[in-house]
Every structure is written in C-alpha cells, then in structure tokens.
C-alpha cells in the first residue's frame, strides 16, 4: 500500500483552515495554540513511517492519556479494575456528571473523565511516586526517554478544573475514590498534560496494533487479551457521545483529546496519529476526523 501517496492526498484534500471548530479554551494554556496546526503520522507494525505537516511538533495529548493510564492500572489491579469502572459507552459528553448519580459513583467507562479519575485513584494507591512511575511507563512503551509532562498545561488546568473537582468529589461521596481528592486530581491533570508529537503518539500506540508487544524487541507489555479489550473500549468509548460517528466514518478503534490529537489503531497493520487543534462541539478534532475518514476510505480497509 502506498501510504505516503495516500497521506499526500489527504493533505491536499483536508484544508483545516476552512473547516469549522474552536480551539479548547477551558484550559487557558491550550487556548494559546495556533488553530491551523496540522500533521499526521502513520507507523506500521513493521516500523515503516509515513507523514505530512507538523507531525513532529509536540502538543498536549490530554484524554488520549486515559488509554495509557488504563493500561498501567490493569497491570497493577488486573480484573478488579472492572469492579470500580464499567465498560459501556456513555453517550454523554466527556466531562458529564449526570450518570454518576444514577449509577452510584461507578463511571460508565475508563475513557471519560469520571472513569479516568477512578483509574488515577487506583494508580495513586499502587504507585509510590505516581507521576514519575507513570512517565516511566509511557516512556517505555513510547521507547522514548524524552516524553514529559507540560507543567504549564497541568497547572493551568488545575487552576480552572472546577468541573473535574466537582466530579471527583461526587465519586468520593459514593466511596469510589480512596485517596485524597486533590492528590488524585493533581496526578490526573499531569497525566493529561503529557506532550507528544503525532510521530511519538503513533509510535506509542503501535503497541495496541501489535497485540501488546513492543515492535522492536517483541517484549509483551500488555497481554493479547488486555490489548483486545483496550482496543474494544477505544472503539466503543473513545469519542464520548461521538463514538458511533467515529466508528461509522472511520471504522478503527481510536482516542481523541482536547489538544486536537486523535490516535487510531488498525490491529496487525498500523497506528496513526493526527493533530489539528480546532474541535467540533463534541470535543473532537474536526480535521482529524476527516483525515482519518479519508485514510480508511482511500485504503478501502478498516476493522469492518
Ligand atoms: O479533564 C479534562 O477535561 C481534560 N484534561 C481532558 C479532556 C479531553 O481531552 C476530552 N477529549 N476530547
């Protein structure tokens, strides 16, 4: 498959400057990013790379980090994770509180904010130094020691994070947060602030296209069964109340973040990351979704 030719075609056909959408501004530091950034990077399971645009410029991966947090929590807590968080799509926005009250503080899934807060609570219980150990895990699967938090973004969200603060207190009231809420929130905001480029993100997520094995060494980081389940959750829950739309248009498991990044995984084949900061009203990158839709349409292949 001529992936570079296909990416070139996508670049010509997706003019992010003309597409609608707004850069996220509820995290003040993110509002400073130029709306017209656009990059895409595809990483195959045999280590081939194809790209265009600003694919090597770092951005805030935000909710994409929820997949990495879940992966680490599963390594420590195993199947017990599912006693504290569900596996059903929410059909609600990423930061919604409404289901929590009906469902007694058990978040619908780990890829919405409420679920990720519970996952971070699990990690705070297990890790001696959560931020350092989280970073160590991410660097390992990224095979890159330069991956880091963006402190400015984390602190900017912490200062304005009233919605997440309300949410974690509600979950705590139901007994599903065991640690101090400010400690868990601080850790959560830092996990969201991890910076990666499309190249680094695609490289990191090739693990999920490769049955949980690092492509260079073959080291099994996540079991085949867990990798299957994480991909299933990305498919059904990775885009909140737009998960159906993403499946319908793109047909790959994926995860978005309010930094404008989207990563998608084609098991046995490749992972692909795209970045364009203008978001639609559901919080997903407008140009990113279109670029991925073109990718699976032009290649004529998706998991469906
Ligand atoms: O907690 C938040 O609101 C952000 N740190 C992450 C949200 C996010 O990325 C939703 N994605 N589309």
């Amino acid at each position: 498959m001529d992936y570079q030719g296909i990416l070139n075609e996508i670049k010509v056909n997706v003019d992010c400057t003309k597409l609608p959408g707004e850069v996220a501004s509820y995290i003040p530091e993110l509002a400073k990013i130029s709306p017209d950034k656009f990059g895409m990077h595809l990483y195959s399971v045999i280590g081939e790379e194809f790209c265009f645009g600003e694919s090597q410029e770092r951005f805030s991966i935000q909710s994409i980090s929820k997949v990495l947090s879940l992966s680490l929590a599963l390594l420590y807590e195993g199947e017990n994770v599912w006693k504290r968080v569900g596996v059903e799509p929410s059909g609600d926005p990423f930061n919604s509180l409404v289901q929590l009250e009906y469902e007694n503080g058990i978040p619908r899934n780990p890829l919405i904010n409420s679920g990720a807060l519970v996952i971070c609570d699990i990690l705070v219980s297990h890790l001696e130094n959560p931020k350092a150990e989280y970073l160590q895990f991410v660097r390992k699967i990224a095979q890159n020691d330069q991956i880091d938090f963006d402190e400015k973004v984390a602190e900017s969200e912490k200062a304005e994070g009233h919605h997440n603060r309300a949410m974690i207190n509600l979950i705590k009231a139901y007994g599903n947060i065991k640690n101090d809420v400010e400690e868990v929130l601080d850790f959560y905001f830092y996990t969201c602030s991890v910076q990666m480029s499309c190249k680094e993100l695609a490289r990191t997520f090739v693990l999920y296209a490769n049955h949980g094995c690092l492509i260079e060494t073959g080291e099994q980081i996540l079991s085949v069964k867990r990798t299957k389940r994480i991909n299933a959750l990305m498919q059904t829950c990775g885009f909140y109340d737009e998960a159906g739309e993403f499946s319908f248009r793109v047909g790959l498991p994926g995860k978005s973040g309010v930094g404008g990044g989207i990563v998608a995984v084609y098991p046995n084949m490749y992972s692909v990351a795209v970045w364009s900061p203008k978001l639609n009203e559901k919080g997903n990158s407008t140009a990113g979704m279109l670029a991925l839709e073109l990718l699976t349409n032009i290649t004529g292949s998706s998991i469906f």
Side-chain angles (χ1 to χ4, degrees):
M1 188 79 73
D2 175 18
Y3 285 120
Q4 189 56 55
I6 292 169
L7 260 58
N8 295 343
E9 194 179 334
I10 294 170
K11 185 175 192 289
V12 168
N13 283 291
V14 180
D15 182 353
C16 66
T17 63
K18 297 209 169 72
L19 288 168
E22 299 290 330
V23 177
S25 57
Y26 76 99
I27 302 173
E29 203 59 29
L30 293 187
K32 297 179 181 167
I33 311 293
S34 158
D36 298 333
K37 297 281 180 190
F38 191 31
M40 189 164 183
H41 206 101
L42 187 148
Y43 215 107
S44 82
V45 293
I46 54 167
E48 299 164 315
E49 295 178 64
F50 310 94
C51 62
F52 70 70
E54 278 129 345
S55 76
Q56 302 211 34
E57 187 171 328
R58 285 186 168 163
F59 58 90
S60 192
I61 71 167
Q62 290 297 320
S63 281
I64 298 170
S65 65
K66 292 177 167 83
V67 179
L68 307 172
S69 307
L70 170 65
S71 303
L72 186 58
L74 285 167
L75 291 179
Y76 280 97
E77 189 79 14
E79 301 308 301
N80 287 332
V81 163
W82 310 119
K83 293 181 184 151
R84 294 181 55 189
V85 59
V87 294
E88 293 297 337
S90 64
D92 277 321
F94 63 88
N95 59 359
S96 174
L97 280 91
V98 292
Q99 281 168 342
L100 279 174
E101 189 172 9
Y102 291 124
E103 297 173 5
N104 300 315
I106 306 290
R108 273 284 172 108
N109 69 68
L111 302 185
I112 49 176
N113 287 14
S114 54
L117 287 166
V118 170
I119 294 295
C120 283
D121 184 57
I122 291 172
L123 289 173
V124 167
S125 295
H126 282 283
L127 307 178
E128 211 164 293
N129 187 340
K131 288 181 197 165
E133 288 169 56
Y134 180 79
L135 213 45
Q136 198 183 354
F137 174 71
V138 176
R139 286 175 176 171
K140 167 127 196 196
I141 64 173
Q143 292 282 288
N144 183 341
D145 283 342
Q146 305 304 311
I147 303 295
D148 219 330
F149 300 123
D150 183 336
E151 219 164 292
K152 271 194 185 157
V153 169
E155 294 298 329
S156 161
E157 186 169 15
K158 204 196 302 187
E160 296 291 327
H162 311 303
H163 206 105
N164 282 321
R165 201 162 269 115
M167 192 178 302
I168 195 169
N169 276 290
L170 182 60
I171 307 171
K172 176 97 176 166
Y174 283 106
N176 199 15
I177 292 286
K178 312 294 178 194
N179 297 284
D180 174 65
V181 290
E182 284 302 324
E183 188 184 354
V184 178
L185 265 183
D186 177 70
F187 177 53
Y188 169 76
F189 291 140
Y190 272 79
T191 63
C192 292
S193 81
V194 164
Q195 301 184 78
M196 285 191 195
S197 64
C198 289
K199 177 182 165 89
E200 290 164 338
L201 196 51
R203 172 66 195 82
T204 305
F205 273 71
V206 83
L207 184 85
Y208 302 91
N210 196 40
H211 306 289
C213 290
L214 289 178
I215 57 169
E216 291 85 0
T217 60
E219 185 186 347
Q220 191 92 44
I221 304 284
L222 295 167
S223 72
V224 174
K225 185 174 95 176
R226 278 201 182 132
T227 309
K228 176 191 76 174
R229 289 178 159 183
I230 294 167
N231 285 342
L233 285 167
M234 283 199 265
Q235 188 76 51
T236 53
C237 311
F239 297 82
Y240 323 109
D241 42 347
E242 205 168 35
E245 178 85 7
F246 189 81
S247 277
F248 184 72
R249 287 175 50 190
V250 179
L252 296 175
K255 185 75 201 82
S256 64
V258 289
I262 302 180
V263 66
V265 169
Y266 190 175
N268 300 316
M269 301 289 284
Y270 61 74
S271 72
V272 57
V274 58
W275 176 46
S276 168
K278 282 196 294 188
L279 310 176
N280 64 21
E281 68 289 350
K282 311 273 183 170
N284 300 317
S285 168
T286 319
M289 283 188 62
L290 182 56
L292 292 170
E293 180 179 8
L294 288 179
L295 175 67
T296 52
N297 281 350
I298 299 169
T299 58
S301 61
S302 75
I303 67 158
F304 301 104

